Amino acid sequence: MLGQLLFLTVPALWTIIWIYKYSQQHSLTWITGTFVFLGLYIPFLVVLLVPLDIVWDVSIFKWRVLYWTTFTATWFILPFIQEYIESQFPTVETRVKDSLYKNLRYYTLLTFLSLVVIAYLRFTLRTMSFANFKELIISLTYFWGLLFVIFLLGNGLVYVPRNIWRKAFLNQRARLLERKAVNIYSRLQERIDEFSAYSSSSTLNMDQSYSLGIRASYATDSDFTSSAVSQAMSHVLPLQTTWTQMVKEYNMINTIRFAKASSSYRLYLPDSYIQMHPVFAYALYVWVIPVFRIFLACFLALLSFVIVVSELFLHSKHSLVGIFLNRVQDSPSLCAFVSFIVINYMRYCTYKSLINTQFASYHHYAVVPFRATGPASLLCFASQLCRLTLPLCYNFTSLQFFPTQFHKFYGESIDLLPLGNLISKRYPVFILMPVIFSLFSLKYWLRHIIYSYGLQKSPVIDSLETESSNTEDNFLDETSPSYLAEGRALLLSANYPSL
């Protein structure tokens, strides 16, 4: 009993710490905070239960409760609360109606697309049956989640070890910040201008309304304007926090560079860091941390290779993850520990890739630490985690050879229909696509080729002067010396517009 209570408490404490680290101060009401907690807690709990289910059976009843709780949260509760928070209507009733309308519009489109797929499979390929409606729903939601999981996981398996490797070297670490600085600074400037426009509009409307004596009609307009100003401010904060942390990190890198160049074996940390003896700080930041990052990057790169090969040989005896777990099956604790490491690494790569794409600091739903994430972004992120966790966990259980209760409930429902069986066995092979794209940075090469082709064929560009054309080309290329020099100048000056 004590062990089960401890098992439930650990992910709960981790979730509370995560929310405290990311959420904006005084931005979460108790209702919103409760559903954000549940939306983050359940995926963490599921990831912890899967390794135990491989070694010690977890009852099917628990998996049913977790699945349908996750299903309800990700498709109904969290999206409704998110749209309610984002609604700019002044009253509770109008906000509820607005949220219901937006969600119904989205689910109507999703239902129509699902029916088209079902009809095609049923009447053309004759691989779909309407007899098992529950299994049909599970298969469709599994397909929707796995569609994103494979591409996010493939990108993360390359991005995570590569990013740790680059951070081990000061020059590469500084280059990453310089490449990112121009984009972040320009987005920050745009959003501050947007916030200033909303603020000016709010002040102007208030002055005009009071001067004309139309206070009753202004009450509703002011609520709309106040909501718009609040949302504009919530969009500024993540970028401003990101920029502040980038400047802080860049200054720290330059401090370490200066200490290494002086060969004094002493590093005096800025006031914003934990103060320690200069010799100890030098050894820690110049030797210990970089070496640790190199070894960690190599280990994670090897683990990424093992997972990719296992995905290619999914549901076969050649899966490397399955072979290793089969070797240590005589030690249940070791088998559970290895499973925990692998599935959490897969989870981390997927979530990290998700944050860097849909929830990056310059996007609408930004997930940024240092208490800079708004309630709507937290709800959206929690909804995506609930949507992706179960397909990710089932994908992991397919890499190993042991039967689990999770597969008995979730997997048999998927494999019961030809659609789910085909997707679960064939689609994960496509993980090679995001891996190759990320490994060779094909996205930047394609963009460079398309941009270069556009420059050669555009009559407008041809009419410009050669010098200005080359300058624009350099600044649009994120790897060009001009672009990096601009980012370096912005970070060194550390002047960003204030509100």
Side-chain angles (χ1 to χ4, degrees), residues 133-381:
F133 183 74
K134 183 188 72 173
E135 285 74 15
L136 176 63
I137 295 298
I138 294 177
S139 294
L140 288 175
T141 54
Y142 168 75
F143 166 72
W144 184 257
L146 189 67
L147 182 68
F148 296 99
V149 163
I150 292 301
F151 280 87
L152 292 173
L153 176 61
N155 178 73
L157 289 175
V158 176
Y159 168 79
V160 171
R162 174 182 284 178
N163 191 54
I164 295 176
W165 175 272
R166 288 174 174 174
K167 287 187 175 181
F169 303 94
L170 292 177
N171 291 334
Q172 294 190 27
R173 191 175 170 187
R175 188 182 179 90
L176 289 174
L177 292 175
E178 292 166 359
R179 181 187 302 175
K180 188 179 178 182
V182 178
N183 186 21
I184 294 295
Y185 184 87
S186 60
R187 296 291 183 96
L188 177 60
Q189 177 67 62
E190 292 174 2
R191 293 191 181 179
I192 288 180
D193 293 341
E194 179 184 354
F195 173 78
S196 301
Y198 276 122
S199 300
S200 302
S201 175
S202 174
T203 305
L204 180 61
N205 289 338
M206 183 172 61
D207 293 340
Q208 290 177 350
S209 301
Y210 275 95
S211 63
L212 295 175
I214 315 177
R215 301 191 181 187
S217 62
Y218 170 70
T220 302
D221 294 338
S222 64
D223 290 333
F224 275 102
T225 308
S226 176
S227 177
V229 171
S230 178
Q231 288 192 12
M233 179 59 188
S234 66
H235 296 162
V236 171
L237 183 59
L239 276 172
Q240 199 169 43
T241 303
T242 301
W243 177 255
T244 303
Q245 295 303 320
M246 287 176 59
V247 172
K248 177 182 175 182
E249 183 179 359
Y250 195 75
N251 291 335
M252 182 63 181
I253 292 174
N254 288 333
T255 303
I256 299 174
R257 281 174 167 176
F258 178 79
K260 289 184 65 176
S262 62
S263 302
S264 61
Y265 299 101
R266 293 177 178 270
L267 175 63
Y268 296 92
L269 299 177
D271 296 335
S272 55
Y273 287 82
I274 299 176
Q275 296 301 312
M276 57 186 71
H277 193 276
V279 176
F280 179 76
Y282 184 92
L284 181 64
Y285 285 95
V286 176
W287 293 330
V288 178
I289 294 180
V291 171
F292 172 76
R293 283 175 172 163
I294 290 174
F295 279 102
L296 180 61
C298 294
F299 171 75
L300 295 182
L302 177 61
L303 188 56
S304 296
F305 174 79
V306 170
I307 293 173
V308 171
V309 174
S310 301
E311 294 284 356
L312 297 180
F313 294 100
L314 194 71
H315 295 285
S316 72
K317 62 180 181 180
H318 303 294
S319 172
L320 296 183
V321 173
I323 292 173
F324 187 80
L325 291 179
N326 195 37
R327 293 286 181 88
V328 297
Q329 64 175 336
D330 295 335
S331 176
S333 300
L334 180 59
C335 185
F337 176 74
V338 173
S339 301
F340 176 81
I341 295 296
V342 175
I343 192 173
N344 273 276
Y345 179 61
M346 296 172 64
R347 176 190 65 84
Y348 179 77
C349 290
T350 304
Y351 296 172
K352 194 68 175 178
S353 181
L354 181 66
I355 291 177
N356 289 336
T357 53
Q358 185 177 353
F359 297 97
S361 57
Y362 46 83
H363 286 175
H364 181 74
Y365 296 111
V367 175
V368 180
F370 307 102
R371 313 198 69 178
T373 307
S377 299
L378 288 175
L379 287 167
C380 186
F381 183 67

Side-chain angles (χ1 to χ4, degrees), residues 437-475:
F437 262 76
S438 300
L439 190 62
F440 299 102
S441 302
L442 293 183
K443 180 180 68 174
Y444 297 104
W445 284 102
L446 289 175
R447 185 173 62 182
H448 181 72
I449 292 173
I450 293 173
Y451 177 70
S452 300
Y453 179 80
L455 280 181
Q456 294 174 3
K457 299 299 181 181
S458 176
V460 177
I461 297 295
D462 291 339
S463 63
L464 297 177
E465 296 181 358
T466 305
E467 182 178 355
S468 62
S469 177
N470 293 334
T471 303
E472 185 179 4
D473 186 12
N474 288 335
F475 273 95

